[in-house]
Amino acid sequence: QQPVQSPQAVILREGEDAVINCSSSKALYSVHWYRQKHGEAPVFLMILLKGGEQKGHEKISASFNEKKQQSSLYLTASQLSYSGTYFCGERAGNKLTFGGGTRVLVKP
Amino acid sequence: EAGVAQSPRYKIIEKRQSVAFWCNPISGHATLYWYQQILGQGPKLLIQFQNNGVVDDSQLPKDRFSAERLKGVDSTLKIQPAKLEDSAVYLCASSLGYEETQYFGPGTRLLVL
């Protein structure tokens, strides 16, 4: 069973903020976030380990609440380059299982 | 540092034919992964190698898919015979260890007619 991401899609104006959520039914060891642009390979953004740790990449940050088995990705002051599909990956054991993705479109 | 290499980049075949994909991971990466990504979905793990041993192949359709990683470096994924539903992008990724960051190759786009 894969993690559930919400929303499925979001459209932003440049400079606006957005939040992408990733929920799991399993006890997680870590959550990984990737971004994939159309026709390209997924690119690693960050890993969050259990402990409620928050990390950042440019103006993209994320949090991980292990009790709620949920992670959130925060796009702050979005840029055109943030457009793409964001995937969370949940690690339970030695396997990474990806969610269905959230499509983000940032317009000028 | 060179990234993950894959070939071919595109492949069109007819159903019931065979096809093979090749992957060369980042030098020194012990863990290698093959994912299938159907249009509009997230990558689905097919098989995971640690050096030349299989760690997980629970989602690999073993009646038609096979993979090997001889000598613990590059890897080949084969489909024989192909079905229409195998049309997808096949992504190879590698990491230093299974808990480490995965780096993806450009993928092979397969179309089965």
Side-chain angles (χ1 to χ4, degrees):
Chain A
Q1 195 167 358
Q2 64 184 59
V4 176
Q5 290 186 232
S6 63
Q8 288 190 316
V10 59
I11 300 175
L12 301 166
R13 289 287 177 191
E14 207 172 358
E16 291 182 339
D17 302 340
V19 180
I20 300 170
N21 296 306
C22 174
S23 297
S24 174
S25 57
K26 306 174 196 171
L28 302 177
Y29 176 76
S30 63
V31 177
H32 302 223
W33 285 96
Y34 285 78
R35 178 173 63 207
Q36 186 176 31
K37 293 185 180 286
H38 183 70
E40 299 180 9
V43 173
F44 170 76
L45 291 176
M46 63 191 80
I47 293 177
L48 295 108
L49 305 176
K50 59 182 183 179
E53 187 175 350
Q54 193 151 352
K55 287 203 166 189
H57 171 85
E58 300 173 342
K59 288 187 178 177
I60 299 173
S61 61
S63 61
F64 177 27
N65 187 322
E66 67 202 73
K67 287 184 179 178
K68 292 185 177 178
Q69 294 167 192
Q70 182 176 322
S71 179
S72 296
L73 189 73
Y74 306 94
L75 307 181
T76 304
S78 58
Q79 305 170 13
L80 297 177
S81 61
Y82 288 2
S83 292
T85 301
Y86 290 77
F87 294 100
C88 67
E90 62 179 23
R91 177 172 298 289
N94 59 17
K95 187 167 75 174
L96 196 62
T97 303
F98 287 95
T102 295
R103 286 156 190 77
V104 173
L105 176 61
V106 181
K107 292 185 172 181
Chain B
E1 179 182 86
V4 177
Q6 289 188 248
S7 67
R9 293 295 310 277
Y10 304 92
K11 191 74 178 178
I12 301 174
I13 61 173
E14 296 192 347
K15 60 183 179 183
R16 291 188 289 272
Q17 285 188 325
S18 303
V19 64
F21 312 128
W22 175 81
C23 172
N24 188 258
I26 293 172
S27 177
H29 281 194
T31 313
L32 185 147
Y33 315 79
W34 282 103
Y35 288 90
Q36 180 192 59
Q37 187 174 27
I38 292 172
L39 188 64
Q41 299 182 18
K44 182 181 93 171
L45 181 67
L46 293 175
I47 189 166
Q48 178 176 331
F49 292 95
Q50 182 72 16
N51 296 309
N52 60 353
V54 175
V55 174
D56 189 304
D57 63 356
S58 57
Q59 298 189 100
L60 186 74
K62 298 181 187 64
D63 58 335
R64 299 184 300 106
F65 285 64
S66 64
E68 59 182 11
R69 190 184 184 196
L70 299 176
K71 300 180 183 177
V73 183
D74 54 356
S75 175
T76 303
L77 176 70
K78 295 179 182 177
I79 307 175
Q80 182 180 9
K83 292 186 175 181
L84 296 177
E85 59 260 36
D86 296 334
S87 294
V89 176
Y90 290 85
L91 294 164
C92 178
S94 71
S95 63
L96 284 169
Y98 69 82
E99 292 183 359
E100 305 292 331
T101 301
Q102 294 185 25
Y103 295 90
F104 284 82
T108 296
R109 203 169 290 270
L110 174 68
L111 179 59
V112 182
L113 302 175

